[in-house]
Amino acid sequence: MTSSPDGFPADTGDRLVSPLADADDRVIESTLRPKRLNDFIGQARVREQLSLVLAGALRRGKAPDHVLLSGPPGLGKTTIAMIIAAELGAPLRITSGPAIERAGDLAAVLSTLGDGEVMFIDEIHRLARPAEEMLYLAMEDFRVDVVVGKGPGATAIPLEIAPFTLVGATTRAGLLPAPLRDRFGFTAHLDFYEAAELEVIIRRSASLLGVPLSEDGGTEIARRSRGTPRIANRLLRRVRDYAEVRADGVVTLEIARAALELYEVDTHGLDRLDRAVLRALVTRFGGGPAGLSTLAVAVGEEAETVEVVAEPFLVREGLIARTPRGRVATPLAWEHLGLRPPDPAAGGLSGAGTLFDDESGS
């Protein structure tokens, strides 16, 4: 299966509720991003901690510690990197782990950094190993060793670089090597947003986009946005289209519900794939346990797509559970589909499974 630049299955970004950014999202987000830390909504603890780190560095007149931001896509890691540069009054250099294929690519970027400049590496866990090892020295001693020649005659020439602040972002912190992770002086994990926080974001975005939005319309969009600002902004734009074409342009509760029903995003933020996984697990496998491969075949998708795209949100919402024997539907899943859950005493929620269960449930 092909992957997106973020390392997720390529078809992930085709979903309306995908947390990954497509080309349209990137253009719109440049308009909607807050420019200062005080304007950033949500992540209160991270915001407060980061403000102290930046204020302290400004008082000392030195570059702040390197910053590592982790968490699911769409929560604001790139926005925070841009805010860090703005708060420091420093230029921002943006690149990504997959774009740095060789140590020479990284050396070329590092050698042109100015004093106090901020360098942002998205998906830093996907750095090539040679570039990663070069980054260790650059982060610690502000120096890179440029190798000239090959074989026994190769010579390492030390090259001093200007003090800089590295901001690394990753959606898979567990894949970061310990030596790289330990070189970050400040580490923050971004959590999913509460619906009330998403409402504020949606109202702000609607104001910037010139979308007339009623209070209950914003509430309805927020509760279906899966705790992710990027999804909230995308749903707002789709509801805006519906309101302009089929109504008077005002996003009300009724318009939001009608639009999101048309786009197959239900009241819990589940889309077609999510519901297909739930329905297969409940109706075809009696609530499970069912192996991942079996479940993927049942919904006509790749196993990786089910595991990476649908399953995390379903588990987070308490609709399915991962067990050593396979995936199991919870009573909430049955209720969400309008079905009556079986009696647990009869083994309905954790019965014998099927002949096709994966041995490990993975």
Side-chain angles (χ1 to χ4, degrees), residues 219-235:
T219 301
E220 186 67 18
I221 296 172
R223 65 194 288 252
R224 303 190 191 207
S225 298
R226 301 167 75 114
T228 305
R230 177 173 290 150
I231 295 175
N233 286 327
R234 188 184 299 130
L235 294 183

Side-chain angles (χ1 to χ4, degrees), residues 41-44 47 191-202 222:
I41 300 163
Q43 312 295 340
R47 209 169 61 237
D191 295 315
F192 289 100
Y193 289 62
E194 298 294 333
E197 295 171 331
L198 290 176
E199 281 187 56
V200 178
I201 292 173
I202 289 170

Side-chain angles (χ1 to χ4, degrees), residues 10 46 59 70 152-153 205 212 283 301 313 355:
V46 172
R59 286 192 176 192
S70 65
S205 298
T283 62
E301 295 284 355
F313 182 69
L355 293 175

Side-chain angles (χ1 to χ4, degrees), residues 108-128:
V109 176
L110 292 172
S111 62
T112 59
L113 291 176
D115 191 15
E117 195 163 341
V118 177
M119 180 179 179
F120 175 56
I121 302 181
D122 197 13
E123 294 303 307
I124 194 171
H125 64 270
R126 299 183 67 197
L127 272 175

Side-chain angles (χ1 to χ4, degrees), residues 20-341:
L20 302 183
D22 57 24
D24 289 341
D25 289 328
R26 293 188 180 94
V27 172
I28 296 296
E29 284 176 0
S30 63
T31 303
L32 302 180
R33 292 185 196 276
K35 303 298 188 290
R36 292 289 178 174
L37 206 53
N38 287 337
D39 298 327
F40 190 88
I41 300 163
Q43 312 295 340
R45 183 60 59 89
V46 172
R47 209 169 61 237
E48 183 178 0
Q49 293 172 346
L50 189 56
S51 68
L52 292 174
V53 171
L54 299 179
L58 288 171
R59 286 192 176 192
R60 292 187 298 271
K62 295 184 178 180
D65 288 339
H66 302 299
V67 176
L68 176 64
L69 304 171
S70 65
L75 300 187
K77 295 185 292 294
T78 302
T79 299
I80 291 179
M82 293 180 174
I83 287 175
I84 289 173
E87 295 285 350
L88 295 173
L92 177 67
R93 195 77 60 91
I94 299 178
T95 186
S96 67
I100 302 176
E101 298 178 350
R102 297 177 296 274
D105 298 335
L106 180 61
V109 176
L110 292 172
S111 62
T112 59
L113 291 176
D115 191 15
E117 195 163 341
V118 177
M119 180 179 179
F120 175 56
I121 302 181
D122 197 13
E123 294 303 307
I124 194 171
H125 64 270
R126 299 183 67 197
L127 272 175
R129 185 61 182 271
E132 176 190 301
E133 293 175 350
M134 175 179 283
L135 193 58
Y136 296 162
L137 191 60
M139 294 173 68
E140 206 160 55
D141 299 330
F142 300 115
R143 190 183 90 236
V144 294
D145 290 338
V146 180
V147 179
V148 179
K150 294 182 179 180
T155 304
I157 302 175
L159 177 64
E160 299 294 327
I161 59 177
F164 70 101
T165 297
L166 173 66
V167 180
T170 177
T171 53
R172 302 184 181 184
L175 298 182
L176 272 182
L180 179 56
R181 188 168 55 247
D182 293 344
R183 283 170 168 79
F184 287 96
F186 175 75
T187 301
H189 178 79
L190 274 59
D191 295 315
F192 289 100
Y193 289 62
E194 298 294 333
E197 295 171 331
L198 290 176
E199 281 187 56
V200 178
I201 292 173
I202 289 170
R203 285 198 295 271
R204 177 181 179 274
S205 298
S207 175
L208 292 172
L209 295 173
V211 179
L213 176 69
S214 70
E215 184 174 344
D216 52 4
T219 301
E220 186 67 18
I221 296 172
R223 65 194 288 252
R224 303 190 191 207
S225 298
R226 301 167 75 114
T228 305
R230 177 173 290 150
I231 295 175
N233 286 327
R234 188 184 299 130
L235 294 183
L236 172 64
R237 301 200 309 273
R238 298 290 75 80
V239 174
R240 174 196 61 184
D241 294 342
Y242 183 97
E244 290 177 350
V245 174
R246 297 194 176 178
D248 59 1
V250 179
V251 175
T252 63
L253 173 62
E254 293 74 18
I255 292 298
R257 284 177 174 172
L260 294 174
E261 182 178 346
L262 177 65
Y263 286 110
E264 298 184 290
V265 179
D266 68 20
T267 55
H268 283 68
L270 275 63
D271 70 352
R272 180 203 58 79
L273 175 59
D274 299 319
R275 290 191 298 275
V277 170
L278 278 188
R279 193 171 290 108
L281 187 56
V282 165
T283 62
R284 302 181 68 173
F285 303 113
L292 175 62
S293 300
T294 303
L295 204 52
V297 170
V299 298
E301 295 284 355
E302 297 284 345
E304 185 182 5
T305 299
V306 173
E307 183 177 29
V308 175
V309 178
E311 189 173 87
F313 182 69
L314 296 175
V315 171
R316 181 164 66 87
E317 292 297 295
L319 294 168
I320 67 173
R322 297 180 63 171
T323 73
R325 299 179 60 199
R327 276 63 177 170
V328 177
T330 68
L332 284 177
W334 296 76
E335 293 172 14
H336 185 76
L337 295 175
L339 302 173
R340 182 178 179 181

